[in-house]
């Protein structure tokens, strides 16, 4: 489909070459169902671990094969592109597919059988299935991220529904009103620090995000002069979605699915926070004479134009434009040439975070080079300050 716009007598035409690739993101919730098909074909328990294999093997390979796409839509067509409802429906359809996949998976976790599965799954198979559901849940959080930024109220409720699977409904509050304010500063729990490992980052960001979200809502109700213990508290009403969903699943399929619901939620949260860790790793906004931080600009986010992960995560990797224009819809996000670039897509970079020595070898010199060798300008992990100064030279500021 070609978009055409006429500005000052000049006609501009543009076609989104990824238009129908975006559907790949909407069919991700079918991953657990595909495991059933693979099991029927092979009879092997290993296929129940297809979810992590898809995300951390197939997608990085797809990134390498498909390459990068740095094409930006012309400014003249951005309004029409954002108004195209096809792109919205791609994200809307993810949510019922996500919830449907969770119900289907819970049926199997509760001991249900299907054609080709004559007896309840083994514990090993259930763990694999739960991890696969968690991979879907993590991408579901990203779908919630896309919808939670929008001004349309029902889209924000869709975001709550997508977050219900992981019991992480407070995310869209902290992300919108916390992370976007404090991004790339030492005060932000969702910005990875230079020298920090993803394993250190996880408890810091999970606890910090929850505390921040609750504090933000408490302050909002204090300004209104009323108690924050209210159904209108967005943390509480988001969590209510999870309570209803999880309780309904356990009533339908048995309390024994509870440990697997917890496992899939942890996997989904871990996937989200792994992405948070790398999006701003080591990036730091500088303080002005006023004591305020400088405005967010493209140099404060790691970008990637790898097609495979981009179509899976709705252009999340064009992260600089997202922070510049939080309400802009994913199909209209642009690449900024001045933004630092990751060596590959998010999926492949997450794999590198698992081994801190490998991660630091790949990323630390990129952060330091980005700031012309000046450690003082980086978001340096306090625990690592002495070691990094010995290795890279004392900070100049």
């Amino acid at each position: 489909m070609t978009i055409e716009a006429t500005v000052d007598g000049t006609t501009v035409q543009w076609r989104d070459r990824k238009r129908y690739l975006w559907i790949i993101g909407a069919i991700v919730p079918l991953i657990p169902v595909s495991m059933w098909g693979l099991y029927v074909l092979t009879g092997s328990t290993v296929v129940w671990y297809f979810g992590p294999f898809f995300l951390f093997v197939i997608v990085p390979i797809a990134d390498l094969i498909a390459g990068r796409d740095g094409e930006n839509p012309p400014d003249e067509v951005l309004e029409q592109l954002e108004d195209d409802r096809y792109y919205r429906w791609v994200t809307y359809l993810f949510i019922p597919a996500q919830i449907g996949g969770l119900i289907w998976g819970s049926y199997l976790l509760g001991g249900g059988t299907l054609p080709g599965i004559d007896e309840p799954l083994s514990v090993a198979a259930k763990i694999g299935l739960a991890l696969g559901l968690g991979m879907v849940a993590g991408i579901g959080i990203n779908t919630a991220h896309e919808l939670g930024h929008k001004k349309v109220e029902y889209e924000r409720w869709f975001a709550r529904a997508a977050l219900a699977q992981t019991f992480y409904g407070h995310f869209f509050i902290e992300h919108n009103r916390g992370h976007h304010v404090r991004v790339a500063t030492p005060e932000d729990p969702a910005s990875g620090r230079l020298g920090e490992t993803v394993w250190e980052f996880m408890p810091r960001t999970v606890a910090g995000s929850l505390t921040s979200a609750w504090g933000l809502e408490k302050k909002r109700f204090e300004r209104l002069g009323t108690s924050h213990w209210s159904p209108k508290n967005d943390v509480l009403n988001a969590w209510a979605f999870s309570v209803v969903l999880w309780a309904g699943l356990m009533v339908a399929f048995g309390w024994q699915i509870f440990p697997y619901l917890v496992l899939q939620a942890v996997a989904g949260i871990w996937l989200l926070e792994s992405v948070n860790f790398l999006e701003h790793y080591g990036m730091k906004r500088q303080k002005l004479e006023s004591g305020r931080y400088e405005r967010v600009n493209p140099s404060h986010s790691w970008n990637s134009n790898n097609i495979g992960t981009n179509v899976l995560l709705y252009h999340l990797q064009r992260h600089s434009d997202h922070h510049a224009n939080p309400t802009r819809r994913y199909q209209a996000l642009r690449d900024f040439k001045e933004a630092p670039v990751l060596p590959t897509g998010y999926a492949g970079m997450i794999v590198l975070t698992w081994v801190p020595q490998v991660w630091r070898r790949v990323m630390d010199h990129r952060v330091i080079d980005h700031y012309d060798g000046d450690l003082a300008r980086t978001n340096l992990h306090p625990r690592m300050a002495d070691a990094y100064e010995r290795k890279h030279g004392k900070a100049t500021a």
Side-chain angles (χ1 to χ4, degrees):
M1 177 179 175
T2 300
I3 299 175
E4 186 174 291
T6 301
V7 180
D8 297 330
T10 301
T11 299
V12 177
Q13 291 185 333
W14 185 79
R15 182 171 63 89
D16 180 8
R17 293 185 296 172
K18 299 193 291 286
R19 180 179 178 85
Y20 298 107
L21 291 178
W22 298 116
I23 297 172
I24 294 173
I27 64 175
V28 163
L30 298 179
I31 287 175
V33 179
S34 70
M35 299 176 191
W36 168 39
L38 291 170
Y39 182 76
V40 172
L41 287 174
T42 66
S44 173
T45 300
V46 173
V47 300
W48 292 104
Y49 291 81
F50 176 72
F53 179 81
F54 170 79
L55 199 56
F56 301 122
V57 178
I58 293 178
V59 174
I61 291 174
D63 276 337
L64 292 174
I65 294 174
R68 301 172 186 263
D69 171 27
E71 182 183 18
N72 287 333
D75 292 344
E76 293 83 356
V77 306
L78 286 179
E79 183 176 353
Q80 285 180 262
L81 184 60
E82 288 206 75
D83 288 341
D84 188 338
R85 298 191 69 83
Y86 160 81
Y87 294 96
R88 302 186 194 188
W89 278 102
V90 168
T91 54
Y92 297 169
L93 291 173
F94 184 100
I95 298 169
Q98 175 189 355
I99 301 302
L102 177 62
I103 294 171
W104 180 89
S106 297
Y107 166 73
L108 288 180
L109 292 171
T113 60
L114 291 169
I117 304 177
D118 300 325
E119 57 186 26
L121 298 181
S122 67
V123 172
K126 288 180 179 180
I127 291 173
L129 174 57
L131 291 174
L133 292 171
M135 298 301 98
V136 173
I139 297 173
I141 297 176
N142 180 62
T143 305
H145 167 262
E146 170 65 23
L147 296 173
H149 272 292
K150 302 304 174 278
K151 297 177 181 179
V152 181
E153 185 62 24
Y154 67 78
E155 291 187 307
R156 297 171 69 86
W157 283 101
F158 285 171
R160 289 176 174 88
L163 290 164
Q165 182 173 343
T166 51
F167 234 108
Y168 219 55
H170 58 277
F171 163 76
F172 87 98
I173 300 158
E174 154 57 20
H175 180 83
N176 291 13
R177 290 155 50 195
H179 173 65
H180 271 259
V181 174
R182 300 185 298 249
V183 62
T185 69
E187 291 79 21
D188 182 30
S191 292
R193 299 167 176 170
L194 178 64
E196 186 175 29
T197 72
V198 73
W199 311 112
E200 292 175 285
F201 174 77
M202 284 294 169
R204 180 172 74 84
T205 189
V206 170
S209 295
L210 174 58
T211 302
S212 175
W214 187 255
L216 288 166
E217 278 298 270
K218 188 175 180 180
K219 288 180 182 178
R220 182 168 73 91
F221 279 87
E222 286 174 354
R223 289 194 297 270
L224 296 173
T226 185
S227 172
H228 59 282
W229 293 103
S230 163
K232 294 183 179 179
N233 183 317
D234 285 337
V235 173
L236 296 178
N237 59 50
W239 284 348
F241 273 67
S242 296
V243 171
V244 171
L245 177 62
W246 283 35
L249 292 172
M250 284 189 285
V251 168
F253 306 117
W255 64 268
Q256 66 269 24
I257 72 171
F258 178 73
Y260 300 105
L261 290 178
V262 172
L263 176 59
Q264 63 84 28
V266 169
I269 293 167
W270 168 78
L271 181 58
L272 162 76
E273 298 297 0
S274 292
V275 170
N276 275 340
F277 172 71
L278 61 89
E279 283 175 333
H280 307 282
Y281 178 74
M283 301 289 101
K284 184 181 177 184
R285 290 153 56 198
Q286 306 306 307
K287 276 196 173 181
L288 306 175
E289 291 183 2
S290 64
R292 289 174 170 269
Y293 286 104
E294 64 179 317
R295 292 177 62 87
V296 181
N297 64 55
S299 72
H300 299 131
S301 302
W302 289 99
N303 278 15
S304 171
N305 277 315
N306 289 89
I307 296 174
T309 310
N310 258 333
V311 298
L312 193 70
L313 299 180
Y314 306 119
H315 261 165
L316 181 66
Q317 297 179 136
R318 291 190 171 184
H319 209 59
S320 293
D321 197 11
H322 167 67
H323 273 278
N325 302 283
T327 61
R328 176 166 286 164
R329 295 190 181 272
Y330 68 94
Q331 68 272 19
L333 290 174
R334 302 156 300 166
D335 175 50
F336 289 116
K337 302 304 180 187
E338 61 269 36
V341 179
L342 294 170
T344 189
Y346 283 5
M349 295 305 297
I350 289 173
V351 175
L352 298 184
T353 68
W354 299 344
V355 183
Q357 294 84 350
V358 175
W359 171 258
R360 288 170 177 159
R361 180 177 293 274
V362 171
M363 287 301 299
D364 282 6
H365 71 91
R366 286 179 164 86
V367 174
I368 294 168
D369 289 348
H370 180 66
Y371 288 108
D372 300 320
D374 187 355
L375 282 175
R377 294 169 61 196
T378 70
N379 187 4
L380 180 60
H381 190 36
R383 182 179 67 80
M384 299 297 293
D386 289 343
Y388 274 63
E389 287 183 356
R390 286 195 300 270
K391 182 175 180 180
H392 301 284
K394 195 168 181 66
T396 59

